[in-house]
Amino acid sequence: QRQLVESGGGLVQAGDSLRLSCAASGLTFSNWAMGWFRQAPGKEREFVAAINWSGDYTNYADSAKGRFTISRDNAKNTVYLQMNSLKPEDTAIYYCAAGSRVTKVIMAYNYWGQGTQVTVSS
């Protein structure tokens, strides 16, 4: 019933941009902080960005600062991750998640999407 569905991933070249979307259903979207995480082959899942329920507060991993922007549209039950100046090291499966607060801690997130693949070629 509660579901998060990511979209917008794909294969791009270094320097290109992508906008990922995560559509939520089965939950009161505006009650949740939302986060983006990613997992590259052979690596642990890592925090990318998070946003509070109203969109007033955000937090970014160092690797994302200045390049990525997280935003949300509560009327559309959707959170976005705008990714600019993509690098090969951004290649990963990107997951959105709903949690109780803006945090990098994975355990704080209750619901997860299925992920969308982002591949950046050099």
Side-chain angles (χ1 to χ4, degrees):
Q1 184 179 7
R2 295 170 179 171
Q3 189 175 33
L4 303 175
V5 180
E6 301 96 334
S7 62
L11 174 62
V12 298
Q13 292 182 293
D16 285 352
S17 298
L18 281 174
R19 189 184 72 161
L20 305 183
S21 298
C22 175
S25 62
L27 54 80
T28 304
F29 182 73
S30 60
N31 287 352
W32 296 86
M34 298 295 298
W36 286 96
F37 293 77
R38 67 187 184 187
Q39 188 165 21
K43 294 186 177 181
E44 297 180 350
R45 187 169 299 188
E46 66 176 358
F47 170 77
V48 177
I51 188 167
N52 79 322
W53 70 272
S54 64
D56 296 324
Y57 305 100
T58 59
N59 191 35
Y60 296 91
D62 288 343
S63 61
K65 290 179 180 177
R67 299 190 299 127
F68 294 2
T69 302
I70 187 171
S71 62
R72 67 191 297 162
D73 186 340
N74 287 347
K76 296 182 178 180
N77 288 355
T78 302
V79 62
Y80 305 94
L81 184 68
Q82 178 68 44
M83 303 187 294
N84 300 134
S85 302
L86 284 163
K87 304 174 181 179
E89 50 263 47
D90 295 319
T91 296
I93 300 175
Y94 284 71
Y95 300 89
C96 68
S100 59
R101 62 190 187 275
V102 174
T103 179
K104 67 179 182 181
V105 179
I106 293 174
M107 288 181 60
Y109 293 86
N110 302 86
Y111 305 104
W112 293 81
Q114 82 291 339
T116 185
Q117 178 70 49
V118 172
T119 303
V120 184
S121 63
S122 60

